[in-house]
Amino acid sequence: MNRLLPLLAVLAPLAASAQQDSGGYNRALAAFNAGDLDTAAPLFFQASEAGGDAQTQGKAEYFLAQSLAKKGLPVAAFISYAAIVNAGPSHPSYLKAVEGLVDMQQQLDEQNLIPSILNQAYSDEVRDQWVTLPKEVLARINYLVGTVSQRRMRFEEARALLEAVPKDSRVYAKARYLLGVVLADPRFPGRPGEGEALDKEALSAFTVALSSKEPQVELKATQHLALIGLGRLHYRRGEYAEATAAYERVPRYTRYWDQALFENGFARFQNEDFGGALGSLQALHAPQFAGAFQPESWILKSTVYYYSCLYDEVKTTLAAFDDLYGPMAKQLEPFTAEDADLIQAYNLVAAENRRLPRPVYLWLRNNERIREVMRVLARVDQEKRELSSGPWRGTPLATQTVASLEEIRGTLLQVGGTLARSRIREAADNLRTFSDQAEIIRVQTALDEKDLLQAGLDQKTLLTRQSLYRPKMPGAAWNYWKFQGEFWIDEIGYYQYTLKRGCPAKTADAQQP
């Protein structure tokens, strides 16, 4: 009997501690069920930190996350759910935490951290367990992990995940759109041998997204993106008229309209509709788009004029490009170094603009992922203020949660800085590339003018002999108005040029092969 006394002396405090932990958890659960979150959350936190019974501790961690979510602290809740998910399937609340994490992603519309966490957790080991999740939760997981796979160019994996999203899911339209993007990507395995079949499937995916009905997440924006995706698919296939039809279905003044105008200019140019191409660019260069970063649009405009041998207009357009974008290239030089600080790069975008060219600044801030970082960071700061001044002020729960929020804040700043630095370099590279193209066009124009002069051809006389006619009317419901230098809001997007042609007619001998 005496040999048992030391053992009993150790077990007795442990048993007492376990009863104490269980009692705290039960009081927390009673308060939670009664809607008293201010009382429940600190008790759940205490039970989760006590290190007693693993089942009780695991449940306390889950209900703490639930309490934070119900309290209107979705970032703090996402951190708690993520900790459980990262602990692995042995955690007693693992699947519930996965579901909670997906709910917080939806609430926050967070596209950077949570999809990456789900992607890392979605392994072969847990796949059989995850299929038991509610149908909509699993659909959202497949979509979110599919976005990660697409960004990392794991196209076949992305395809399988996106095709697994069922028709009755609220992210079905988004999944179909992204599936179309994946299948249409020239880097998708199997091209060019399977290119025709892949294009057909991509076309079908875009069409399904366009025909989807509410309720869907961000349906209108998704359908506008699907129209651009459809236009790009037709353009790559050389189906320029079909590409133009898709681009022109993007509604005027919606978020992606300027991109549709720009790409439609290329489609019309390739379809030898030079007047239509200039019409799209005329809309894009209206005062309403004065802050747009579209350097390539000026190169396209000069190219259209070049193909029509309108060399004065070529030079005028290139001069406008130089005036507008030449200074921007110099302004960007200090921010493109390989070792540029990520936090400083993010602050260039997030803070009120004082150093970047305004079109570049707006282009950076319009990036969807950068905007999401900014939005979630604002939410993090709000939750930190609420925890520091609310009913949990000064408690261990508030102290640790604020510390966790600060860690997430640091991670988001790194993500935002990486995105911002990459986009700044992209802007600088674009300016460099298009400046080089402008110089090539400028030199070729000078050479062609020299050829005309040496051939004794008077281009001005050639142009004077030509007449300008009204553009062809699309239908009986359309009216013709001559553009007189004023941009009226109800006319932007409906411009059509008619052009003279300054190229000398080819002789019959010159036309022989």
Side-chain angles (χ1 to χ4, degrees), residues 119-334:
N119 174 67
Q120 187 173 358
Y122 201 6
S123 63
D124 292 338
E125 179 187 1
V126 303
R127 201 171 300 274
D128 290 342
Q129 295 183 49
W130 283 33
V131 296
T132 65
L133 289 164
K135 189 176 181 180
E136 180 64 13
V137 172
L138 186 58
R140 289 176 183 270
I141 289 172
N142 283 325
Y143 169 71
L144 292 170
V145 177
T147 64
V148 176
S149 299
Q150 186 266 338
R151 286 200 297 262
R152 297 178 179 177
M153 295 188 291
R154 299 199 301 255
F155 296 119
E156 291 176 308
E157 179 182 292
R159 176 183 186 173
L161 289 161
L162 296 168
E163 288 181 338
V165 176
K167 292 182 179 180
D168 55 354
S169 168
R170 293 191 64 203
V171 294
Y172 181 64
K174 290 172 74 72
R176 288 287 113 176
Y177 158 68
L178 190 58
L179 177 62
V181 171
V182 168
L183 294 172
D185 195 302
R187 297 165 296 183
F188 192 96
R191 290 187 183 275
E194 300 175 17
E196 194 67 28
L198 290 169
D199 286 349
K200 185 176 180 180
E201 291 183 57
L203 176 63
S204 175
F206 288 135
T207 302
V208 169
L210 289 168
S211 63
S212 296
K213 306 294 183 183
E214 298 286 8
Q216 287 286 309
V217 175
E218 300 175 337
L219 179 59
K220 292 300 181 184
T222 301
Q223 290 177 328
H224 299 164
L225 285 171
L227 287 170
I228 291 177
L230 193 61
R232 290 171 178 173
L233 175 61
H234 284 305
Y235 184 89
R236 181 175 55 75
R237 290 174 56 84
E239 299 162 351
Y240 302 121
E242 290 84 352
T244 288
Y247 290 131
E248 291 185 347
R249 288 173 61 190
V250 178
R252 300 165 75 240
Y253 295 107
T254 52
R255 180 180 171 192
Y256 304 106
W257 185 46
D258 61 335
Q259 187 65 28
L261 283 171
F262 169 62
E263 296 188 24
N264 191 29
F266 268 100
R268 285 179 151 189
F269 169 69
Q270 293 286 8
N271 204 34
E272 299 186 356
D273 177 12
F274 293 172
L278 289 176
S280 290
L281 297 175
Q282 172 86 344
L284 190 61
H285 295 161
Q288 284 79 354
F289 293 115
F293 182 69
Q294 291 281 10
E296 192 175 6
S297 65
W298 294 90
I299 304 304
L300 174 59
K301 188 174 184 178
S302 66
T303 302
V304 173
Y305 283 132
Y306 174 79
Y307 271 78
S308 298
C309 301
L310 298 174
Y311 299 131
D312 287 343
E313 285 78 2
V314 171
K315 288 181 280 189
T316 300
T317 301
L318 293 178
F321 169 81
D322 290 340
D323 290 343
L324 184 59
Y325 289 105
M328 291 187 196
K330 294 181 180 178
Q331 283 181 268
L332 290 178
E333 286 178 2

Side-chain angles (χ1 to χ4, degrees), residues 90-108:
S90 62
H91 194 285
S93 300
Y94 176 71
L95 288 178
K96 290 182 178 179
V98 172
E99 185 175 349
L101 188 59
V102 173
D103 287 343
M104 292 306 99
Q105 188 282 328
Q106 179 183 353
Q107 187 171 332
L108 291 165

Side-chain angles (χ1 to χ4, degrees), residues 2 14 31 47 53 101 118 133 219 252 263 283 306 380 412 417 427 445 494 503:
N2 290 339
L14 289 175
D53 175 63
L101 188 59
L118 292 169
L133 289 164
L219 179 59
R252 300 165 75 240
E263 296 188 24
Y306 174 79
V380 167
L412 285 168
T445 297
Y494 297 119
C503 305

Side-chain angles (χ1 to χ4, degrees), residues 291-409:
F293 182 69
Q294 291 281 10
E296 192 175 6
S297 65
W298 294 90
I299 304 304
L300 174 59
K301 188 174 184 178
S302 66
T303 302
V304 173
Y305 283 132
Y306 174 79
Y307 271 78
S308 298
C309 301
L310 298 174
Y311 299 131
D312 287 343
E313 285 78 2
V314 171
K315 288 181 280 189
T316 300
T317 301
L318 293 178
F321 169 81
D322 290 340
D323 290 343
L324 184 59
Y325 289 105
M328 291 187 196
K330 294 181 180 178
Q331 283 181 268
L332 290 178
E333 286 178 2
F335 311 115
T336 57
E338 289 291 332
D339 58 348
D341 183 81
L342 293 180
I343 306 302
Q344 291 180 0
Y346 174 77
N347 287 336
L348 283 171
V349 180
E352 182 181 351
N353 181 44
R354 297 184 184 276
R355 303 172 68 188
L356 292 172
R358 180 167 176 76
V360 175
Y361 173 73
L362 295 175
W363 181 70
L364 292 167
R365 287 179 68 95
N366 195 47
N367 178 265
E368 186 173 340
R369 294 183 67 194
I370 291 177
R371 288 197 347 265
E372 287 162 359
V373 170
M374 294 172 61
R375 187 179 63 250
V376 178
L377 275 171
R379 183 70 221 183
V380 167
D381 292 339
Q382 179 182 335
E383 293 188 20
K384 286 173 62 180
R385 290 191 298 269
E386 291 177 8
L387 286 162
S388 299
S389 60
W392 302 332
R393 180 179 56 187
T395 64
L397 166 62
T399 300
Q400 181 164 313
T401 305
V402 167
S404 297
L405 287 169
E406 188 58 33
E407 289 181 10
I408 286 293
R409 191 178 194 282

